[in-house]
Amino acid sequence: MNTETEGKEGQTMQNSTDRYELFVIDMYEYSGWQPAGTRATEREAVEAAKRIILDSFSGTGEAGYRQWLMFGEDVIVTAPAGAPRVEFSGRAFVKSLCGLSSD
């Protein structure tokens, strides 16, 4: 990955390929970013990220959100070099699903 665009906690958000890359963060056994494939378009990558997140939790409300924070999977989507940063937040997505406001 190149370091042109930094994300939360100083992590890079662009890669050096021509595809959108997905990385999963297991929040129970945090072990860094684990590769989860690539997609040709931003839309495909964001949809894949949402599916991964949806498969990792089933709660609602504040309790569901907290359960996801402890045991769920978050996804980082990196854009190809030269493409705009992907504006996707797993936390905001889960908060909306749980009926919570996003900070």
Side-chain angles (χ1 to χ4, degrees):
M1 283 189 261
N2 72 32
T3 57
E4 290 181 26
T5 305
E6 288 190 3
K8 186 170 45 174
E9 299 173 3
Q11 301 292 342
T12 59
M13 299 303 289
Q14 273 192 333
N15 66 62
S16 59
T17 72
D18 63 349
R19 295 177 62 86
Y20 291 83
E21 294 183 320
L22 289 88
F23 297 90
V24 173
I25 300 168
D26 181 331
M27 296 190 290
Y28 180 69
E29 295 183 33
Y30 185 80
S31 57
W33 298 9
Q34 301 301 315
T38 65
R39 300 295 187 276
T41 68
E42 179 178 354
R43 181 178 181 166
E44 291 172 353
V46 169
E47 289 302 315
K50 288 178 178 179
R51 281 192 303 279
I52 291 167
I53 290 170
L54 286 170
D55 287 344
S56 75
F57 91 110
S58 60
T60 59
E62 185 68 32
Y65 179 67
R66 289 188 186 281
Q67 177 187 18
W68 176 77
L69 283 174
M70 293 177 64
F71 303 108
E73 293 179 332
D74 198 357
V75 181
I76 304 283
V77 179
T78 63
R85 178 179 174 195
V86 177
E87 297 296 330
F88 173 75
S89 165
R91 286 180 185 232
F93 176 62
V94 171
K95 279 187 169 189
S96 71
L97 292 173
C98 290
L100 304 173
S101 63
S102 187
D103 318 71

